[in-house]
Amino acid sequence: MIWFTEFSPTKLNNQPKNHMGGFLDIQFTEVGEDFLTATMPVDERTHQPAGILHGGASVVLAETLGSVASYMCIDPEKYVAVGLEINANHLRPVKSGLVTGICKALHIGAKTHVWEIKIYTDKGKMNCVSRLTVAIINKP
């Protein structure tokens, strides 16, 4: 297990919701030995004007997954995980339903973490792939 301590989707979903992930109704669904998954609805909150999933909403899902995964890997009494760089390739449009992000580590170092996040439609087709680099800094 790559996590600093045990987490469950319930524990992650019971965090305060007064942030971007809460506004977009991102819900954590599975904590595996080395991966984390979450869903996000494709609706009026996440659409762009053409009625399809906004690329920025996909990036929010990816950064939420990677940032939370980094938080789960560190001692929160000593460190803070902050996004350093993110990129995303949007592969196909999505009009409705749920998208599911699956986050896996590419690198877990003392000062940086790199995560790959693949996002799938509810029909199982990948619609976005993203890579997030997170800086691990001393807690102020």
Side-chain angles (χ1 to χ4, degrees):
M1 183 169 74
I2 63 174
W3 316 122
F4 178 75
T5 187
E6 283 197 41
F7 287 88
S8 69
T10 302
K11 182 176 181 179
L12 295 172
N13 289 326
N14 284 337
Q15 300 296 319
K17 300 285 186 192
N18 57 344
H19 54 77
M20 180 67 77
F23 176 73
L24 297 182
D25 196 24
I26 293 172
Q27 297 292 315
F28 294 94
T29 54
E30 188 174 1
V31 177
E33 292 287 317
D34 64 350
F35 69 92
L36 179 64
T37 66
T39 61
M40 181 179 68
V42 180
D43 60 20
E44 66 281 349
R45 293 170 292 184
T46 57
H47 278 165
Q48 50 126 293
I52 60 174
L53 180 60
H54 192 293
S58 294
V59 171
V60 169
L61 176 58
E63 183 148 357
T64 299
L65 274 162
S67 295
V68 169
S70 278
Y71 167 78
M72 292 168 58
C73 290
I74 61 174
D75 180 348
E77 298 296 318
K78 297 179 182 176
Y79 304 104
V80 176
V82 295
L84 187 61
E85 189 274 338
I86 190 165
N87 68 54
N89 295 100
H90 308 291
L91 307 174
R92 64 175 30 90
V94 183
K95 292 184 178 186
S96 62
L98 281 178
V99 289
T100 300
I102 303 171
C103 177
K104 291 189 173 190
L106 297 175
H107 167 75
I108 300 175
K111 298 292 180 192
T112 60
H113 297 171
V114 180
W115 301 95
E116 178 181 68
I117 303 95
K118 293 180 179 178
I119 303 174
Y120 296 89
T121 69
D122 50 15
K123 293 182 174 78
K125 295 189 176 209
M126 190 185 318
N127 66 290
C128 181
V129 61
S130 181
R131 189 181 67 238
L132 172 68
T133 303
V134 178
I136 307 305
I137 60 174
N138 291 327
K139 195 168 188 175

